[in-house]
């Protein structure tokens, strides 16, 4: 059964991920306006800032004949205490789907429970699944493989905070049967729940998913080196403490020497140069971060087609 909502990587099967990436690849190869979502509107609720997610979803809707509405929390009655449940039921009467970037993952689950239309996670404290789909497309392109199943022979290393990115990647790798190692400082690993869920999914797929403490161990021979900020949105008051704790987790030239010579570097962006990644690596020949950012658009189109495409507007 297809899920109504896309809240977690675990909402998709390996076959569905493969399908979305195949659609994204096709749409990227021929970027022409279509009528795939003609007459459909997407509401985009933002409790946090966004550049890539906001613009790629809006442009994706436009290029498929639909409309995207940016709804900051400030402008919605949510700000004045209207409940998520009432917001969800109201918006479902106008929109074909809702994309939300929220502080609390639980709030997105509440919104989805009460919405009659699909809800798409545009980042929460726990997950960022749309980003992982774009990352997968980027890795497939870099290693010239046709399907995510072909990525099984590659080793993906994540270095840094066991945050929303790390958690969605763990699940994605576990679903697809990939080899994924995250190196995180003690106390900053992905949540236990995610580690358990990834282990369970790995048993079925044959994935090798691990969390280690030593970045050099994770990166040794890796084909993909991924990092993200040490201080995510909403954690700003911890920034200084985190800079100390994560110091040894910087993706720099010395760490990159441990990786496979053809390794690529990914970062979901925005990046903090000289913190989680040096400018020389981010701007260097192994970095594909802007191709990765572009792929958000193509993947968003595929996600929107899958989740909004088959449904008519709520009446
Ligand atoms: N990677 C990403 O989601 O970027 P934004 O925060 O700019 O949307
Ligand atoms: N972990 C980062 C990702 C930004 C796209 C954050 O949540 O701020």
């Amino acid at each position: 059964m297809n899920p109504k909502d896309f809240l977690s990587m675990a909402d998709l099967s390996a076959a569905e991920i493969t399908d979305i990436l195949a659609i994204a690849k096709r749409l990227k190869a021929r970027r022409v306006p279509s009528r795939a979502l003609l007459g459909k509107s997407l509401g985009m609720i933002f409790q946090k800032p966004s550049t890539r997610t906001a613009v790629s979803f809006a442009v994706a809707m436009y290029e498929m004949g639909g409309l995207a509405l940016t709804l900051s929390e400030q402008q919605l009655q949510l700000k004045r205490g209207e409940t998520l449940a009432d917001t969800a039921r109201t918006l479902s009467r106008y929109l074909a789907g809702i994309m939300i970037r929220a502080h609390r993952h639980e709030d997105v689950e509440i919104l989805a429970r009460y919405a009659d239309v699909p809800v798409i996670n545009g980042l929460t404290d726990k997950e960022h699944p749309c980003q992982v789909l774009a990352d997968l497309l980027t890795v497939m392109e870099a290693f010239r493989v046709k399907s995510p199943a072909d990525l099984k022979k590659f080793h993906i290393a994540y270095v840094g905070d066991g945050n929303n990115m790390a958690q969605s990647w763990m699940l994605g790798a576990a679903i697809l049967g990939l080899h994924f190692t995250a190196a995180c400082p003690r106390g900053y690993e992905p949540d236990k729940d995610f580690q358990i869920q990834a282990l369970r999914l790995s048993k079925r797929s044959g994935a090798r998913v691990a969390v280690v403490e030593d970045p050099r161990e994770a990166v040794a021979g890796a084909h993909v080196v991924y990092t993200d900020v040490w201080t995510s949105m909403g954690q700003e008051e911890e920034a200084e403490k985190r800079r100390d704790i994560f110091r040894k987790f910087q993706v720099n030239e010395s760490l990159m020497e441990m990786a496979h010579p053809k390794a690529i570097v990914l970062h979901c962006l925005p990046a903090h140069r000289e913190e989680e990644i040096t400018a020389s690596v981010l701007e260097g020949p192994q970095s594909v971060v802007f191709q990765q950012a572009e792929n958000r658009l193509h993947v968003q189109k595929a996600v929107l087609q899958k989740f909004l495409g088959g449904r008519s507007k709520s009446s």
Side-chain angles (χ1 to χ4, degrees):
M1 199 188 77
N2 288 337
K4 170 176 95 53
D5 308 300
F6 182 35
L7 306 189
S8 163
M9 268 319 275
D11 289 334
L12 299 178
S13 64
E16 286 168 327
I17 295 172
T18 305
D19 188 38
I20 288 172
L21 295 176
I23 296 169
K25 197 175 150 193
R26 263 204 316 278
L27 292 169
K28 181 173 182 176
R30 203 164 164 271
R31 187 176 165 188
V32 288
S34 79
R35 295 157 69 89
L37 295 180
L38 188 69
K40 297 199 174 179
S41 302
L42 176 76
M44 308 193 297
I45 302 177
F46 286 101
Q47 295 181 339
K48 301 179 184 184
S50 170
T51 298
R52 282 143 287 268
T53 306
V55 178
S56 60
F57 267 104
V59 173
M61 284 303 288
Y62 174 74
E63 290 187 3
M64 294 192 295
L67 171 78
L69 294 165
T70 302
L71 308 167
S72 80
E73 211 187 19
Q74 302 299 320
Q75 93 197 69
L76 293 171
Q77 294 286 9
L78 273 172
K79 181 74 190 155
R80 293 180 54 252
E82 186 168 25
T83 64
L84 281 161
D86 290 356
T87 304
R89 286 177 290 183
T90 303
L91 291 180
S92 296
R93 301 291 176 123
Y94 310 129
L95 302 169
I98 302 168
M99 189 279 286
I100 176 165
R101 168 164 289 194
H103 292 288
R104 286 163 27 93
H105 191 84
E106 292 73 19
D107 286 347
V108 176
E109 289 173 339
I110 294 169
L111 191 83
R113 193 174 322 135
Y114 285 93
D116 296 324
V117 296
V119 173
I120 297 169
N121 178 354
L123 180 146
T124 65
D125 53 343
K126 293 207 173 139
E127 284 212 51
H128 196 5
C130 292
Q131 179 69 54
V132 173
L133 292 174
D135 302 341
L136 284 165
L137 180 62
T138 313
V139 180
M140 283 163 55
E141 290 173 340
F143 294 104
R144 298 173 192 278
V145 302
K146 285 203 174 73
S147 133
D150 303 327
L151 295 176
K152 287 182 185 178
K153 53 182 182 290
F154 297 97
H155 180 201
I156 297 143
Y158 176 93
V159 179
D161 190 16
N163 60 14
N164 42 13
M165 279 318 322
Q167 293 185 160
S168 283
W169 250 106
M170 267 188 108
L171 295 183
I175 292 162
L176 292 166
L178 308 185
H179 182 193
F180 175 85
T181 309
C184 311
R186 193 172 297 180
Y188 293 84
E189 304 92 346
D191 289 350
K192 268 276 162 307
D193 290 357
F194 280 87
Q195 296 199 41
I196 292 165
Q197 199 181 359
L199 197 68
R200 190 171 49 74
L201 291 162
S202 298
K203 285 202 177 118
R204 222 178 299 154
S205 68
R208 283 176 292 161
V209 174
V211 181
V212 299
E213 254 189 81
D214 179 3
R216 299 177 82 79
E217 180 188 341
V219 169
H223 301 88
V224 178
V225 178
Y226 199 116
T227 191
D228 184 17
V229 291
W230 293 339
T231 300
S232 283
M233 289 181 275
Q235 298 172 330
E236 285 77 10
E237 73 286 356
E238 296 175 30
E240 200 161 322
K241 179 177 125 197
R242 284 170 170 268
R243 269 194 287 274
D244 279 347
I245 291 168
F246 284 88
R247 204 169 300 282
K248 293 205 183 88
F249 290 77
Q250 184 185 65
V251 174
N252 51 34
E253 276 163 357
S254 141
L255 187 65
M256 285 308 297
E257 276 171 21
M258 301 290 299
H260 189 281
K262 296 227 165 86
I264 58 165
V265 172
L266 296 183
H267 190 310
C268 57
L269 303 178
H272 292 140
R273 286 166 175 79
E274 311 312 329
E275 287 195 14
E276 76 276 3
I277 190 164
T278 57
S280 60
V281 172
L282 191 76
E283 306 286 356
Q286 290 170 291
S287 167
V288 289
V289 297
F290 293 106
Q291 181 182 335
Q292 182 187 1
E294 176 189 333
N295 284 340
R296 291 295 304 276
L297 170 69
H298 310 299
V299 158
Q300 245 69 275
K301 285 183 180 170
V303 166
L304 288 164
Q305 280 193 23
K306 179 163 175 60
F307 283 86
L308 274 57
R311 295 161 205 270
S312 59
K313 272 201 278 187
S314 193
S315 53

